[in-house]
Amino acid sequence: MLGPADIRELAAVLGVRPTKQRGQNFVIDPNTVRRIVRAAGVGPDDAVVEVGPGLGSLTLALLRAAGHLTAVEIDDVLAAALPATVTARAPEHADRFDLVHADAMRVTELPGPAPTALVANLPYNVAVPVLLHMLAQFPSIERTLVMVQAEVADRLAAPPGSRVYGVPSVKAAWYADTRRAGAIGRNVFWPAPNVDSGLVSLVRRDPPVTTASRLEVFAVVDAAFAQRRKTLRSALAGWAGSPAAAEAALTAAGVSPQARGEALTVDEFARIAENGPRRATEEAA
């Protein structure tokens, strides 16, 4: 395991300084790393994918628990150094480790067995899009545990009607049952961030039963929250073509035109997408 001195020494040898541009905050507390692995429930039957492994704190702990681990790292220096860290500190597990040097947002395939779990300290500046991309791209991922900014954790796990319920909440709900899985203090990172962190657990479930595609449903979600304070009749006018068309789609979906996006479940957004004007036109044709 990598402690604070190990992390700083390794960073100095590599000439690495964490950058805000890539949202890098390295975990320096072994107990926090062990806690994450326990909370993730990773076992020898799991093929885990880790995004943003950094210097390898979480990587080493995951390797000891999982059957296989693939780490996705965008940073050139960190990607080049991580295999050597694994070989030096966990040689008995090195044959179960793969590294993908790439932007996680562009990854479409992974080496080794299909991933069953995603466990990561996600870079704060891209946490939500990376999470949603990985869930969409790899349907074999059954369980996810990610560490993100506390505010983002609250949004991901928020239920309908919550003050912070929004686009991340609905899109995460398309893929999984989502909940907060704990809080993380600032002093376990180097450098210490200016915000608290939180763990989010996502357990894959079937998406809503709908004839609309995921992209069509997400288009409705984006439109509904783009003008959060407006009623759905107004907020969806651009999506539908006019306020009247939006009202017709909402009424057909069994949703009040006077409702607002923060009150709707992902299933209700799916029903609205099903009754969108373009789909109605295609069915009539």
Side-chain angles (χ1 to χ4, degrees):
M1 301 290 287
L2 297 174
D6 300 309
I7 291 288
R8 290 188 171 88
E9 180 182 353
L10 186 54
V13 169
L14 297 175
V16 168
R17 291 292 301 177
T19 69
K20 288 185 178 181
Q21 179 185 1
R22 288 184 171 165
Q24 292 172 329
N25 297 92
F26 300 134
V27 181
I28 59 174
D29 178 43
N31 288 329
T32 298
V33 169
R34 295 187 188 99
R35 175 187 170 194
I36 292 171
V37 175
R38 284 197 305 270
V42 170
D45 293 333
D46 281 308
V48 179
V49 57
E50 179 189 7
V51 174
L55 292 167
S57 299
L58 181 56
T59 306
L60 293 171
L62 286 170
L63 262 176
R64 288 172 168 81
H68 187 271
L69 175 65
T70 299
V72 181
E73 176 60 62
I74 189 174
D75 187 284
D76 294 340
V77 174
L78 295 175
L82 189 58
T85 300
V86 169
T87 300
R89 292 181 173 267
E92 70 277 22
H93 304 305
D95 62 335
R96 296 189 282 105
F97 174 73
D98 282 307
L99 174 76
V100 175
H101 179 197
D103 180 350
M105 286 292 294
R106 298 181 181 275
V107 169
T108 58
E109 58 183 9
L110 295 169
T116 60
L118 167 64
V119 185
N121 170 25
L122 290 178
Y124 285 176
N125 55 341
V126 292
V128 171
V130 166
L131 172 64
L132 296 177
H133 171 76
M134 296 298 288
L135 291 174
Q137 193 65 45
F138 301 102
S140 61
I141 293 175
E142 300 166 354
R143 302 183 323 283
T144 296
L145 187 81
V146 292
M147 181 157 54
V148 296
Q149 185 175 335
E151 181 182 350
V152 174
D154 289 338
R155 289 176 181 171
L156 284 168
S162 166
R163 181 179 58 83
V164 294
Y165 183 73
V167 172
S169 323
V170 184
K171 291 184 178 180
W174 173 272
Y175 299 104
D177 291 320
T178 307
R179 65 176 178 84
R180 280 291 301 262
I184 302 291
R186 306 180 187 191
N187 61 346
V188 305
F189 296 97
W190 174 66
N194 296 323
V195 294
D196 292 325
S197 302
L199 297 175
V200 181
S201 169
L202 300 98
V203 178
R204 177 85 68 168
R205 65 175 179 83
D206 291 333
V209 177
T210 176
T211 58
S213 71
R214 174 176 58 84
L215 293 179
E216 288 173 326
V217 176
F218 283 10
V220 178
V221 174
D222 289 335
F225 287 99
Q227 303 179 75
R228 191 182 183 100
R229 295 186 178 183
K230 292 189 175 182
T231 65
L232 288 171
R233 184 183 189 276
S234 298
L236 296 182
W239 164 78
S242 69
E247 181 169 348
L250 289 161
T251 301
V255 175
S256 169
Q258 301 308 309
R260 289 177 170 79
E262 58 261 35
L264 270 59
T265 65
V266 66
D267 297 270
E268 288 172 311
F269 279 111
R271 291 207 306 270
I272 296 169
E274 281 186 4
N275 289 279
R278 186 179 64 80
R279 293 180 64 86
T281 301
E282 288 176 352
E283 290 169 5

